[in-house]
Amino acid sequence: MVIDPEKLTVIVDTREQLPLELSMHTIRGTLPTGDYSVKGFEEYVVVERKSLPDLIGCMTTGRDRFERELQRMRSYEAKAVIVEATWEQLRRGEYRSQIVPDVATHSVCSWMCRFAIPFLFVGDRASAADAVNYFLFTSVKGYYERLRSVLGR
């Protein structure tokens, strides 16, 4: 079975305020967690998108809410937080906040270790859209390949 990205439908959560422009077909819908998933795989595949200001907000006033989100994401087979910034921007403190860069980078590393969720620092919105496209497609493709091997087809 060949998976065609043009036949997949990405669900963009209704709470996502600035949706990425993806190359796959998208619809708006309510996801149990995260910002992006694939129709039919909402309980297996999830992406949380963050701009750098959003991520910094998750380290301060929104920390408890974000950690609950990460806790929910743990149960997903394929999950990632995709950040519209570079690691270097985080390290240099290129954001408006009193939080110092060492604390910010340690928070991200702590979350990756505690919740076993990768954070992909991709640089900008266009790269974030590209990363979301590839992550969702590859995750669904992997699911189908494992299913095919189990069924012996």
Side-chain angles (χ1 to χ4, degrees), residues 72-90:
R72 287 190 303 274
M73 288 176 71
R74 288 183 80 178
S75 66
Y76 287 73
E77 184 174 318
K79 62 254 182 191
V81 175
I82 294 180
V83 183
E84 298 174 5
T86 65
W87 182 257
E88 291 78 19
Q89 287 173 302
L90 183 68

Side-chain angles (χ1 to χ4, degrees), residues 48-81:
E48 176 73 19
R49 181 207 55 86
K50 292 290 179 202
S51 66
L52 188 53
D54 291 340
L55 182 65
I56 296 303
C58 291
M59 295 175 191
T60 56
T61 57
R63 189 176 198 98
D64 290 340
R65 185 206 57 77
F66 186 60
E67 288 186 354
R68 287 192 300 274
E69 180 96 358
L70 294 174
Q71 182 63 39
R72 287 190 303 274
M73 288 176 71
R74 288 183 80 178
S75 66
Y76 287 73
E77 184 174 318
K79 62 254 182 191
V81 175

Side-chain angles (χ1 to χ4, degrees), residues 130-149:
D130 193 50
V132 169
N133 279 315
Y134 277 100
F135 183 85
L136 294 176
F137 172 76
T138 303
S139 298
V140 170
K141 183 179 177 212
Y143 181 84
Y144 273 109
E145 288 171 354
R146 285 189 307 281
L147 183 60
R148 189 174 64 200
S149 70

